[in-house]
Amino acid sequence: RRRPLPPAGGPSRRTVAGPTMTTPPARGMNQPGSAMAVALVTQVVLAERLGRDRGWWDQMRAAYWPDSTVRLSWYNGHGASFVAGSEAMARRGSVALHHAYAPAVHVRDTRAHAEISLAMRIRVKHEGVQAGRVSYTPLHSRLARRDGP
């Protein structure tokens, strides 16, 4: 589902930001499609997925603002709760590995949208038989650059 970015100050479906997104904008950062802006957004969304896959919970947590929202097929809530839920799933042995393809990133002022095609690999047990399952899905992330926490 592709949706245009909301105007600055509008609602955000998934608002994430890592340390690189909270720094003052580099020269040219506000230019639509600037290489610097695209690179920063790419690093935030990929670092969040890598943090989840590797159990680097602080890295994953750093990708979400306190008021962020995450909506997935199996989860709808705040970013912090999503990280805590992911951590609990990993402790129970339910681990999915995400192979992320190159994201398509669109930047407008202080907001961005990134779409990543994912292949999710997970071990499942069906009627007593261990099997591997691969699911393919797009992941849409909306990001906002802000100052402070």
Side-chain angles (χ1 to χ4, degrees):
R1 299 181 305 194
R2 292 185 185 193
R3 297 180 186 186
L5 287 173
S12 176
R13 185 172 60 157
R14 178 177 183 214
T15 306
V16 300
T20 56
M21 292 299 287
T22 59
T23 58
R27 194 169 148 194
M29 176 68 178
N30 289 334
Q31 299 304 313
S34 83
M36 174 70 77
V38 169
L40 291 173
V41 169
T42 298
Q43 289 305 305
V44 170
V45 296
L46 293 178
E48 186 272 344
R49 288 289 85 190
L50 185 63
R52 187 169 195 274
D53 286 353
R54 301 279 175 89
W56 299 340
W57 308 117
D58 289 339
Q59 177 173 308
M60 185 181 175
R61 198 171 290 109
Y64 294 96
W65 286 108
D67 62 344
S68 62
T69 300
V70 177
R71 283 195 293 182
L72 301 169
S73 61
W74 60 273
Y75 179 83
N76 186 10
H78 292 289
S81 298
F82 176 62
V83 176
S86 297
E87 195 171 356
M89 286 173 63
R91 280 194 304 271
R92 290 190 306 268
S94 178
V95 178
L97 297 177
H98 300 80
H99 178 88
Y101 297 88
V105 176
H106 303 278
V107 177
R108 184 188 313 152
D109 298 321
T110 60
R111 298 191 176 270
H113 173 262
E115 179 180 343
I116 303 174
S117 294
L118 291 176
M120 293 179 291
R121 293 171 170 82
I122 190 166
R123 299 293 294 169
V124 295
K125 193 174 225 178
H126 180 70
E127 296 179 359
V129 177
Q130 279 290 115
R133 181 181 72 198
V134 180
S135 301
Y136 298 91
T137 188
L139 177 67
H140 295 267
S141 298
R142 292 185 181 179
L143 294 86
R145 187 184 66 239
R146 305 179 192 171
D147 292 325

